[in-house]
Amino acid sequence: MNPDVQHPGQRQPARAAGAAFVGTTIEWYDFYIYATASALIFGKLFFPSHDPFLSTLASFATFAVGFFARPFGGLVFGHLGDRIGRKKALLTTLVIMAIGTVGIGFLPTFERIGVWAPVLLIVLRVAQGVAIGGEWGGAVLLAGEHAPAKRRTFFASFAQLGSPAGLILSLIAFRVVSSMPAQDFWSWGWRVPFLASAVLLLVGLVIRLGVAESPAFEQMKLEHKTVKLPIAVVVRDEWRTVLLCLGANVIGVAGAWFVNTFMLSYTTQTLHFDRAMVLSCLFIVAIVQFCTQLASGWLADRIGNVRFLKRAALLAMLSPYPMFLLVQTGRPVAIVIGVGFAVMCMSSSYAVMAGFMTSVFPVRVRYSAISLSYQLCAALAGGLTPLIGTVLVHQYAGQWWPLAAFYSVLAAITLICIARLERRRNAGSPSMERAFVEPQS
């Protein structure tokens, strides 16, 4: 029996998609509040220096540490998800993420405990990275493997919706505390968004406990087809596909952190725009991203995944030039339009890539394979993007074109890898055929 073709009664597509959305929203909220804090305040609180550039660079370095921990989380929870089930792995990642985030909310600053403050911050950041590294693959599979085959991209995209939803919540949280008197904000107000994660954890656990295990995994377990060491099978049999999927994810991963994290630092510290104004603009952009991703999953199911992804990557290559031209004006409407256009192109790719990858790899190693592909991309492209952007700003002071060119290169890598994946399909690679779903009639 094909594990991807189950009786409809065995599925909970809407509930599974909803649980994936809520769970990833909580996890991304936790991740984004750290990203926002690293761009705005952590440099001063945990890495004080006479040179703001060095403080910001150190803050973004701890931000990158979380990305470097993500492949480890993907490997550990990918193994557990392929061996004991998607649901159990996901419940564990949610708890680990909450511990890391709430711990940051209680953490003393450099002024209180000296060098131990950044050390403990890094430890808790690693916990966040491990949790999100294991979360993504399981959430995508829980939604995608419950879904009907012809709607897999749309349902799997609900796990991706957690990213803009988490961003929206994080921006609301920091927008509220940023309106506090400065003394209160810097002494205790910045902690509130982190401590609020404890409430979100309880909500997420209740929702996820109500979702059944993936029918594809249950069928595989019944047929005794689970793999003893899934990652070994992935490295031996699927390494080419893993590398191509890594590259195909670049603009969706790196682009998100470029426009949502680096641009926050760039506009407030380099262009000296008002922090509250920029946060308000990014809040509107996050809503645009949410709507774009929801529509992208629906549209890609109809015109074909690979055709959609190639067009999105091509538009993403062109998008940073109007973005920077409009951002430079300093007008809120222009900022929203410029960043919003870039986000629409980037998030279209991000939304569809989830469902695309659930079909690229076989069920028995799927959690490990998609986690490895995505989390390696996150470590390399996502973690380094704000750092590279900060260095380019310092190296080419007053010029935006190197930043735009860097963004175009990221999108070009995605376009090339998608084209290579398509070429492999056309050459007859058996494991690739089901990845390139045809448009619905």
Side-chain angles (χ1 to χ4, degrees):
M1 183 178 181
N2 187 339
D4 283 333
V5 184
Q6 300 291 316
H7 187 277
Q10 294 176 276
R11 287 206 163 97
Q12 302 174 291
R15 183 180 294 181
F21 166 66
V22 171
T24 53
T25 296
I26 295 168
E27 298 252 7
W28 280 113
Y29 165 81
D30 290 352
F31 217 69
Y32 274 123
I33 57 174
Y34 189 99
T36 305
S38 68
L40 293 178
I41 58 175
F42 277 176
K44 180 177 179 179
L45 292 175
F46 292 94
F47 307 95
S49 168
H50 295 297
D51 188 341
F53 166 71
L54 294 178
S55 294
T56 302
L57 200 62
S59 180
F60 277 145
T62 66
F63 173 71
V65 165
F67 282 90
F68 297 146
R70 284 172 65 167
F72 177 74
L75 290 175
V76 171
F77 289 100
H79 175 83
L80 294 175
D82 284 329
R83 290 284 295 163
I84 66 174
R86 295 21 173 158
K87 180 178 175 178
K88 292 176 182 176
L90 285 173
L91 291 172
T92 306
T93 62
L94 202 58
V95 173
I96 293 174
M97 175 61 88
I99 291 172
T101 306
V102 174
I104 292 172
F106 284 112
L107 194 62
T109 62
F110 187 92
E111 185 180 18
R112 296 283 302 277
I113 60 172
V115 72
W116 282 107
V119 169
L120 292 173
L121 181 67
I122 290 170
V123 170
L124 294 171
R125 178 61 176 165
V126 168
Q128 282 192 323
V130 169
I132 201 71
E135 161 74 18
W136 181 85
V140 166
L141 292 185
L142 200 64
E145 290 179 347
H146 272 286
K150 289 186 177 180
R151 304 201 68 194
R152 175 175 287 166
T153 298
F154 176 67
F155 278 96
S157 71
F158 275 77
Q160 303 291 71
L161 281 175
S163 178
L167 176 60
I168 290 169
L169 289 179
S170 71
L171 288 172
I172 290 174
F174 265 96
R175 184 68 180 85
V176 170
V177 296
S178 292
S179 64
M180 300 170 60
Q183 184 176 354
D184 291 339
F185 172 75
W186 287 101
S187 63
W188 61 269
W190 67 270
R191 301 179 185 275
V192 174
F194 291 91
L195 298 177
S197 181
V199 178
L200 297 177
L201 166 66
L202 297 177
V203 175
L205 285 176
V206 169
I207 292 174
R208 281 199 167 162
L209 285 169
V211 180
E213 180 58 85
S214 153
F217 177 82
E218 290 286 14
Q219 183 64 35
M220 180 179 65
K221 191 167 64 173
L222 284 172
E223 296 176 357
H224 304 289
K225 292 183 178 179
T226 54
V227 180
K228 192 170 185 179
L229 194 59
I231 192 61
V233 177
V234 172
V235 172
R236 184 190 67 205
D237 299 338
E238 306 287 346
W239 65 270
R240 292 181 181 85
T241 307
V242 166
L243 291 177
L244 289 174
C245 285
L246 186 160
N249 271 291
V250 164
I251 192 58
V253 173
W257 298 110
F258 188 98
V259 297
N260 293 326
T261 301
F262 168 73
M263 286 298 287
L264 179 57
S265 172
Y266 175 75
T267 52
T268 57
Q269 297 187 25
T270 301
L271 300 181
H272 304 292
F273 294 165
D274 178 67
R275 180 177 62 195
M277 183 271 288
V278 173
L279 286 171
S280 296
C281 291
L282 290 181
F283 175 77
I284 297 172
V285 169
I287 297 174
V288 172
Q289 181 180 348
F290 184 92
C291 297
T292 299
Q293 288 189 200
L294 190 60
S296 296
W298 177 85
L299 183 60
D301 270 336
R302 282 152 179 77
I303 70 173
N305 283 344
V306 74
R307 184 185 305 171
F308 184 93
L309 287 168
K310 287 168 70 175
R311 292 175 180 176
L314 184 59
L315 285 173
M317 288 179 63
L318 304 175
S319 65
Y321 304 96
M323 175 178 70
F324 276 103
L325 285 172
L326 289 167
V327 166
Q328 299 293 318
T329 66
R331 296 194 295 270
V333 173
I335 294 172
V336 169
I337 293 173
V339 178
F341 174 62
V343 163
M344 288 178 67
C345 301
M346 168 275 296
S347 61
S348 296
S349 176
Y350 179 72
V352 174
M353 191 58 63
F356 170 78
M357 288 204 300
T358 63
S359 296
V360 170
F361 300 104
V363 171
R364 63 195 184 121
V365 296
R366 188 175 284 166
Y367 200 144
S368 297
I370 69 171
S371 294
L372 183 63
S373 301
Y374 182 82
Q375 302 307 341
L376 282 176
C377 179
L380 296 173
L384 294 177
T385 292
L387 279 172
I388 294 173
T390 302
V391 171
L392 288 174
V393 168
H394 186 71
Q395 188 71 27
Y396 299 94
Q399 303 181 62
W400 58 262
W401 67 264
L403 296 168
F406 171 53
Y407 192 93
S408 293
V409 169
L410 296 174
I413 292 171
T414 289
L415 181 60
I416 291 168
C417 289
I418 292 169
R420 290 293 299 273
L421 284 166
E422 183 182 31
R423 195 172 302 133
R424 288 196 71 206
R425 184 280 307 265
N426 292 337
S429 174
S431 65
M432 299 286 299
E433 290 176 359
R434 287 165 50 255
F436 296 85
V437 295
E438 295 300 321
Q440 294 181 20
S441 58

